[in-house]
Amino acid sequence: MRTDSDIQRDVERELEWDPDIDAKNISVKVNDGVVALTGFVSSYSDKYEAERIAKRIVGVKAVANDLEVKLATGSERPDPDIARDAVEQLERDLPYSSKNIKVTVRNSWITLDGDVDWDFQRRMAESAVRNIKGAKGVINLIRVKPTVNPTDVKTKIEQALKRSAEVDASQITVLADGGKVTLRGRVRSWAEKEEAERAAWRAPGVSEVVNEIQIDPTLQTTRELEEA
């Protein structure tokens, strides 16, 4: 069983080791497996990366990302310039669906709104604008239009979980109500929980995923139980 001190040490070391982020002003606290990140970073991409790094550490149950983005001197830009770059980036990365996405910028925060057919388009839109110079954050309000039967959604997700080498599908229950999917069960790590959620989002027509999967590092996989 990993202690909070073990998790805090590993998160701090991983942040220091990763070359894609300047972590000198990031403070890490852990309480019952929940990691709290405080302090400040110089870009929204660094804030996003810090959270991603923390989530991949074994034993992490959740991450509260309270990092503040303080743009470096000379990095501030007018909202219209940020909006123009965001629109251009969306048109490059999503040439077909970008026409259904509206971009607004206020106080250096980018807001995305509109409707798309697939969740990967919603996620790709956010990824496309995440590194826009001068942006302090991204609010993704893009909706996925449900297009398939809930039973089909449930079946497709269950099949995807069984195919995944990173998830023990026998420990996860899938519930579908329209475009809303709820995942329940237990897994051994945050990474496995996230992989299950990604599998759910890949199903066509999914507009919302409620991930109620619990993290239990002591859980034995089906294969381990069969070998015991």
Coordinates of all heavy atoms in Angstrom, one line a residue, residues 21 42 58 73 88 96 103 107 123 126 139 153-154 166 170 178 186 194 211 218 224:
I21 N 8.2 20.7 -19.0 CA 7.5 21.6 -18.0 C 8.5 22.2 -17.1 O 9.5 21.5 -16.7 CB 6.4 20.8 -17.2 CG1 5.7 21.7 -16.3 CG2 7.0 19.7 -16.4 CD1 4.5 21.1 -15.6
S42 N 4.0 29.2 -16.3 CA 4.1 30.3 -17.3 C 3.2 30.1 -18.5 O 3.1 31.0 -19.4 CB 5.5 30.5 -17.7 OG 6.0 29.3 -18.4
V58 N 1.5 6.0 -9.8 CA 0.8 4.9 -9.1 C 0.3 5.4 -7.8 O 1.0 6.0 -7.0 CB 1.7 3.7 -9.0 CG1 1.0 2.6 -8.2 CG2 2.2 3.2 -10.3
T73 N 6.7 37.9 -19.0 CA 6.7 39.2 -19.6 C 6.9 39.2 -21.1 O 7.8 38.5 -21.6 CB 7.9 40.0 -19.0 OG1 7.7 40.1 -17.6 CG2 7.9 41.5 -19.5
E88 N -7.7 29.9 -36.6 CA -6.9 29.4 -37.7 C -6.4 28.0 -37.3 O -6.3 27.1 -38.2 CB -5.7 30.3 -37.9 CG -6.1 31.6 -38.5 CD -4.9 32.6 -38.6 OE1 -3.8 32.3 -38.1 OE2 -5.1 33.7 -39.2
Y96 N -13.1 20.0 -41.4 CA -14.5 19.8 -41.7 C -15.4 20.2 -40.5 O -16.5 20.8 -40.8 CB -14.7 18.3 -42.0 CG -13.9 17.9 -43.2 CD1 -12.8 17.0 -43.1 CD2 -14.2 18.3 -44.5 CE1 -12.0 16.6 -44.2 CE2 -13.5 17.9 -45.6 CZ -12.4 17.1 -45.4 OH -11.6 16.7 -46.5
V103 N -15.5 30.2 -31.4 CA -14.4 30.6 -30.4 C -14.7 31.9 -29.9 O -15.0 32.9 -30.6 CB -13.1 30.6 -31.2 CG1 -12.0 31.0 -30.2 CG2 -12.8 29.2 -31.8
N107 N -10.3 37.8 -21.4 CA -9.3 37.9 -20.4 C -8.3 36.7 -20.6 O -7.8 36.1 -19.6 CB -9.8 37.8 -19.0 CG -10.7 39.0 -18.6 OD1 -10.4 40.1 -19.1 ND2 -11.7 38.8 -17.8
R123 N -12.3 16.7 -28.3 CA -11.0 16.6 -27.6 C -9.9 17.2 -28.5 O -9.1 17.9 -28.0 CB -10.7 15.2 -27.2 CG -11.6 14.7 -26.1 CD -11.3 13.2 -25.8 NE -12.1 12.7 -24.8 CZ -11.7 12.5 -23.5 NH1 -10.4 12.7 -23.2 NH2 -12.5 12.0 -22.6
E126 N -10.0 21.1 -28.4 CA -9.3 21.6 -27.2 C -7.8 21.5 -27.3 O -7.1 22.4 -27.0 CB -9.8 20.9 -25.9 CG -9.2 21.4 -24.7 CD -9.8 20.7 -23.4 OE1 -10.9 20.2 -23.5 OE2 -9.1 20.8 -22.4
I139 N -11.9 26.6 -22.0 CA -13.2 26.1 -21.5 C -13.9 25.4 -22.7 O -14.2 26.1 -23.7 CB -14.1 27.3 -21.0 CG1 -13.3 28.0 -19.8 CG2 -15.4 26.7 -20.5 CD1 -14.0 29.2 -19.4
V153 N -24.3 1.6 -27.9 CA -23.3 2.3 -27.2 C -22.7 1.4 -26.2 O -21.4 1.2 -26.1 CB -23.8 3.6 -26.6 CG1 -22.7 4.2 -25.7 CG2 -24.2 4.6 -27.7
K154 N -23.5 0.8 -25.3 CA -23.1 -0.1 -24.2 C -22.3 -1.3 -24.8 O -21.2 -1.6 -24.3 CB -24.3 -0.6 -23.5 CG -24.0 -1.6 -22.4 CD -25.3 -2.0 -21.7 CE -25.2 -3.3 -20.9 NZ -24.3 -3.0 -19.7
E166 N -4.9 -2.8 -21.3 CA -4.6 -2.0 -20.1 C -5.7 -2.0 -19.1 O -5.6 -1.4 -18.0 CB -4.3 -0.5 -20.5 CG -3.1 -0.4 -21.4 CD -2.8 1.0 -21.9 OE1 -3.1 1.9 -21.1 OE2 -2.4 1.2 -23.0
S170 N -13.5 -7.2 -16.7 CA -14.4 -7.9 -15.9 C -14.8 -7.2 -14.6 O -15.7 -7.5 -13.9 CB -13.8 -9.3 -15.5 OG -12.7 -9.1 -14.7
G178 N -29.2 7.1 -23.4 CA -29.0 8.1 -24.4 C -27.5 8.2 -24.8 O -26.8 7.2 -24.9
R186 N -14.0 -1.3 -10.2 CA -12.7 -1.0 -9.5 C -11.6 -1.3 -10.5 O -11.7 -2.3 -11.2 CB -12.6 -1.9 -8.2 CG -13.6 -1.5 -7.1 CD -13.3 -2.3 -5.9 NE -13.3 -3.8 -6.1 CZ -12.7 -4.7 -5.4 NH1 -12.0 -4.3 -4.3 NH2 -12.8 -6.0 -5.6
E194 N -8.5 6.0 -16.4 CA -8.5 6.9 -17.5 C -8.7 6.2 -18.8 O -9.4 6.6 -19.8 CB -7.3 7.8 -17.6 CG -7.4 9.0 -16.6 CD -6.5 10.1 -17.0 OE1 -5.4 9.9 -17.6 OE2 -6.9 11.3 -16.8
N211 N -17.5 8.9 -14.8 CA -16.6 7.8 -14.4 C -16.6 7.6 -12.9 O -16.0 8.4 -12.1 CB -15.2 8.2 -14.8 CG -14.2 7.0 -14.8 OD1 -14.5 6.0 -14.1 ND2 -13.1 7.1 -15.5
T218 N -4.8 -2.6 -4.4 CA -4.6 -3.9 -3.9 C -5.4 -4.9 -4.8 O -5.3 -6.1 -4.6 CB -5.0 -4.1 -2.5 OG1 -6.4 -3.8 -2.4 CG2 -4.3 -3.1 -1.6
E224 N -4.7 -12.9 -12.5 CA -4.0 -13.2 -11.3 C -4.8 -14.1 -10.4 O -4.3 -15.1 -9.8 CB -3.7 -11.9 -10.5 CG -2.6 -11.1 -11.1 CD -2.4 -9.8 -10.5 OE1 -3.3 -9.3 -9.8 OE2 -1.3 -9.2 -10.6

